[in-house]
Amino acid sequence: MNPIGSAYRTRHERGATLATHRHSAPYAALVLDGDYTEASLDGPLPCRPGTLVLHPAFHAHGDRFGGLGASAINIELAPGAFELAASAWEVHDLREVAEVFERCPQRLSELLACARPQAAPELPDWQGELLRGMAESEHEIAVLARGLGVSAEHASRALSRSYGMSPRALRREARWRHALQLLGGALPLAEVAAAAGFADQSHLHRIVVAHAGCTPARLRRQIKYVQDRRLAIAA
């Protein structure tokens, strides 16, 4: 887990919102004060003082800030630092960790070794079932929702509150993550597109360019480079 830049602070005012967005590089964010909820395909992450959030590259998320707003210290990390999902941790001593973040960000791995995973909020079982159904099938979202005993309107409102995106956007995000995972293997790009649920290779191309800023072939080379480096370091 190697930082590639200096730590920098961000501040958001009370009641502010950040629409769903993504960063091209993985990064870590340490919450200093206030509170906010980060919503993504991984569900809602309540963030409070002492929460350390790890974001993988190209992770899409939005933020809703509470009555006090919030400030955080952020560190950009080397590509390939994390998995596809974001995770949240509770640090042991906010003051000490904040000082290390700003002065010695290369010690991030040590900080994580002393942190504990933050428990995720409980959500109704049907929401997780619906997300899996949307990712794995071509059925209309309304049909999947009704099969779980939920109206399409209620499903749309509930998923938007929990995950920060509409059901259709969540389906696209799940397929993008699947494609990102498959690009680390040897499947031809046309087969990656089909396996991830895209209409065709051109559809995959458009999504990758929109989310990663490069073609699928170039992104695959970048992933391969990171994989080879990790193997060399492990050896």
Side-chain angles (χ1 to χ4, degrees):
M1 223 167 284
N2 301 313
I4 59 174
S6 300
Y8 61 95
R9 294 195 178 213
T10 51
R11 171 72 193 172
H12 295 279
E13 300 304 318
R14 58 184 296 179
T17 60
L18 281 180
T20 300
H21 59 285
R22 68 183 80 238
H23 300 250
S24 59
Y27 73 101
L30 174 67
V31 183
L32 299 174
D33 58 56
D35 70 281
Y36 65 96
T37 298
E38 181 169 293
S40 72
L41 184 61
D42 307 312
L45 283 179
C47 299
R48 51 187 179 267
T51 298
L52 174 58
V53 186
L54 306 180
H55 303 85
F58 313 121
H59 182 265
H61 57 274
D63 303 290
R64 299 189 304 273
F65 295 87
L68 298 175
S71 59
I73 306 177
N74 308 275
I75 305 175
E76 188 173 316
L77 301 164
F82 308 124
E83 301 301 326
L84 297 175
S87 61
W89 302 76
E90 296 177 12
V91 302
H92 66 287
D93 185 314
L94 177 55
R95 180 175 297 180
E96 177 186 345
V97 172
E99 184 174 349
V100 171
F101 239 61
E102 292 201 294
R103 298 187 180 184
C104 305
Q106 67 273 15
R107 291 180 55 196
L108 178 59
S109 295
E110 297 175 38
L111 300 180
L112 282 172
C114 300
R116 60 181 180 180
Q118 180 172 295
E122 291 190 10
L123 296 173
D125 290 342
W126 69 263
Q127 293 192 17
E129 290 293 329
L130 181 54
L131 284 182
R132 282 188 287 275
M134 291 191 305
E136 296 170 1
S137 79
E138 296 296 330
H139 294 304
E140 288 293 328
I141 295 168
V143 173
L144 295 171
R146 286 197 297 270
L148 294 168
V150 181
S151 71
E153 294 77 11
H154 177 66
S156 180
R157 289 193 299 269
L159 292 186
S160 294
R161 283 196 302 269
S162 296
Y163 300 92
M165 289 180 264
S166 69
R168 291 188 182 279
L170 288 167
R171 172 176 262 175
R172 287 194 299 269
E173 188 64 19
R175 290 176 174 176
W176 152 250
R177 286 196 188 182
H178 192 190
L180 192 58
Q181 184 178 37
L182 292 173
L183 284 170
L187 278 179
L189 293 178
E191 293 183 31
V192 169
F198 292 105
D200 51 33
Q201 188 173 335
S202 295
H203 189 193
L204 171 67
H205 181 96
R206 292 194 300 274
I207 292 295
V208 173
V209 170
H211 292 352
C214 64
T215 65
R218 183 174 178 182
L219 181 57
R220 166 166 274 174
R221 289 194 295 271
Q222 293 175 4
I223 294 171
K224 177 64 174 172
Y225 173 75
V226 171
Q227 290 174 337
D228 288 346
R229 284 191 60 191
R230 295 168 94 177
L231 288 173
I233 292 171

